[in-house]
Amino acid sequence: RPRDVNLNIGAGAETGKATLHELIGTGLSTFNSGEAKRLAKAVGCEVKRAPMQIRPMGEICREHHFETAHFLKVDVEGMEEQALRGFDFDYCRPWVVVVESTIPNSRVQRFHSWEPLLTQQGYQFALFDGLNRFYLCEQHQDRMSRLSVPVNVFDGYRTSAEFYLKRSTDAERHTKEALEVVLEQEQSQAKAASMAADVAAREAAHQAELTAH
């Protein structure tokens, strides 16, 4: 995606450096050493540490002239408050802000320390989906009815398990159909060969009969 800007840095309240704790084999990482120790113990994995530059998201938006955003997702494993403090909502005002609001790898919510940073900027809580909290800016409150209702049976959605099951079933059906075509061709060829052999045998018998006479 040529328009994407990918930066190998961390988001924080101010410019600086911090240690990134990567939980090997889990896809999880955090700048919070306490969270890293807890998660490593919970999942039983090793932790890899590396120095990382920290910059405020507001500064990054200004640097790249990123003034318009429809959607901001914050997933920083315990560093939500620091990341949001570094965002400049006067310069760039996302329509929707989604923040992972549970303690990593748990269902326990933890948002009281950072939620005021959004509500004080005119964002209204819309939905909790079991993992994330969704907020809508005051300029787009007319969209609240669409955002505040979670995915449900009226949306006609399919779960990932259903999707992959159908894809697997379709692949098996296509394979079966292809094999049936090959089998039919082979049977036709065998039948044709058998008929040709019968004709040849009759011709040979006829020739033998003529020779005998």
Side-chain angles (χ1 to χ4, degrees), residues 106-158:
S106 80
R107 298 182 180 182
V108 180
Q109 287 202 69
R110 180 179 59 187
F111 59 89
H112 298 292
S113 65
W114 53 259
E115 185 175 58
L117 299 175
L118 293 173
T119 56
Q120 291 170 7
Q121 291 289 339
Y123 283 83
Q124 183 177 345
F125 171 71
L127 172 70
F128 173 62
D129 67 0
L131 179 65
N132 307 282
R133 290 175 70 85
F134 291 68
Y135 298 84
L136 185 66
C137 72
E138 56 190 356
Q139 288 82 1
H140 296 280
Q141 288 301 306
D142 58 312
R143 302 174 186 271
M144 179 62 76
S145 60
R146 300 181 183 181
L147 185 63
S148 59
V149 179
V151 175
N152 58 74
V153 295
F154 297 107
D155 293 319
Y157 72 93
R158 288 185 294 167

Side-chain angles (χ1 to χ4, degrees), residues 48-82:
K48 178 182 178 181
R49 298 172 178 82
M52 186 72 65
Q53 182 185 9
I54 301 293
R55 293 181 63 191
M57 287 191 287
E59 180 181 292
I60 296 169
C61 288
R62 288 181 179 275
E63 180 178 312
H64 293 276
H65 308 290
F66 195 71
E67 302 178 24
T68 303
H70 296 129
F71 193 86
L72 170 65
K73 177 67 167 76
V74 179
D75 180 3
V76 289
E77 311 297 352
M79 300 293 286
E80 295 81 12
E81 180 179 352
Q82 292 87 334

